[in-house]
Amino acid sequence: ANQSFMTDDLSAEEISHVAPVWLAHYTTNTSYSGSYDYWQYSESGRVDGISTDVDCNFYFTDGPLIPENSVCGFKDVLSSKWYADAVSYVYNAGLMTGTSSTTFGPTESLTRPMMAQILYNFCGRPAVTYSKIYTDVPAGQWYTNAVIWAAKNKIMLGYGNGTFGVNNTISREQIATVLYNFSRQQKLDTSARTSLSAYSDASKVSGYAVTAMQWAVASKVMSGRSANILAPQSTTTRAECAQLFKTYLTGPGASLMK
């Protein structure tokens, strides 16, 4: 087998997520420095560090390569990851699905439509009549009903220029604001407050988000990225979002699960 076959046809990158790849390709120029854990290429003979010929065994499957220790069938969420329990929680609760049938996309940034969709899913996807509230939200998109529902219920609004920002990521302070609005809409107790003065970047919290961030931190729904960094303008990954919703629905929003 040549290098093109190994990389292009056998999908080395995908296989390596499932198990260490030990395909050695013989040469005296491998610069061997330990156990092989990825593709090695050469043209003849032996591999440095291995005293006998190395056999090449190929295994084929009709389906996707899913690790045995994956969570909810997502090959990119292994049970050893810190976010595994949170992903399982939101997936089984029907809040979040994958970015494909076999991937969750834990390191991908959460977008504004994704946030609207999570809450829309949680509320049972009520019927929505389409109206062109935002110039960038056409009918028939996967997020259309969620965005319109969130806007009509004043849970999540768009920008002043008439757009929702369907291609935009959502910041931490925006997430706090949306959850705060949702909690009030659900008639939960949102009176908890704490000072943000312990965070050196507290001044970066936008005026509209101060109350929501004070509530989110006081309720332990959101914490700083470190002891003194709140990072209100930073984005959130899908894994972090899963953890945030698990914390919310087992904390201040626990009554909503009954």
Side-chain angles (χ1 to χ4, degrees):
N2 60 30
Q3 179 172 348
S4 175
F5 174 77
M6 294 175 183
T7 55
D8 299 336
D9 297 331
L10 290 187
S11 302
E13 180 65 28
E14 182 177 4
I15 294 173
S16 70
H17 290 304
V18 180
V21 177
W22 263 76
L23 179 61
H25 195 248
Y26 318 128
T27 185
T28 57
N29 299 314
T30 56
S31 300
Y32 178 81
S33 61
S35 297
Y36 293 105
D37 60 4
Y38 209 66
W39 303 98
Q40 302 282 335
Y41 304 109
S42 68
E43 297 177 351
S44 64
R46 303 277 180 81
V47 177
D48 294 346
I50 300 177
S51 60
T52 61
D53 289 344
V54 179
D55 293 327
C56 183
N57 296 318
F58 298 95
Y59 298 91
F60 296 91
T61 176
D62 291 332
L65 293 165
I66 306 296
E68 291 183 358
N69 60 335
S70 65
V71 172
C72 300
F74 297 126
K75 65 184 180 182
D76 55 357
V77 181
L78 303 183
S79 58
S80 58
K81 297 296 186 180
W82 64 265
Y83 48 78
D85 288 344
V87 170
S88 178
Y89 181 89
V90 296
Y91 178 78
N92 289 317
L95 273 70
M96 297 180 73
T97 57
T99 53
S100 76
S101 60
T102 60
T103 58
F104 183 78
T107 61
E108 293 184 21
S109 294
L110 192 75
T111 64
R112 287 173 55 81
M114 287 178 187
M115 183 67 182
Q117 187 68 50
I118 292 169
L119 292 174
Y120 184 59
N121 290 344
F122 181 75
C123 290
R125 300 185 183 186
V128 171
T129 300
Y130 177 75
S131 58
K132 199 172 183 61
I133 298 177
Y134 301 112
T135 59
D136 59 346
V137 182
Q141 300 301 307
W142 64 264
Y143 53 77
T144 300
N145 286 350
V147 169
I148 293 174
W149 169 84
K152 288 185 175 180
N153 285 280
K154 295 181 171 49
I155 293 171
M156 186 174 183
L157 302 176
Y159 301 122
N161 62 1
T163 66
F164 181 79
V166 296
N167 296 315
N168 295 355
T169 56
I170 186 168
S171 67
R172 281 163 55 82
E173 69 175 16
Q174 287 175 351
I175 291 174
T177 301
V178 172
L179 270 184
Y180 179 70
N181 292 342
F182 178 72
S183 297
R184 295 185 66 187
Q185 193 256 1
Q186 294 293 316
K187 303 188 184 308
L188 298 179
D189 181 7
T190 56
S191 61
R193 298 287 187 276
T194 191
S195 172
L196 304 178
S197 60
Y199 298 104
S200 61
D201 58 348
S203 61
K204 294 182 179 180
V205 178
S206 300
Y208 75 86
V210 171
T211 297
M213 287 294 281
Q214 290 175 335
W215 165 80
V217 174
S219 302
K220 303 188 186 307
V221 171
M222 187 175 288
S223 59
R225 284 284 169 82
S226 69
N228 65 342
I229 298 295
L230 187 57
Q233 305 297 330
S234 295
T235 58
T236 295
T237 65
R238 285 171 52 83
E240 290 172 332
C241 177
Q243 183 60 60
L244 183 147
F245 269 95
K246 181 186 177 185
T247 301
Y248 173 71
L249 291 172
T250 56
S255 62
L256 300 177
M257 298 297 288
K258 297 178 180 178

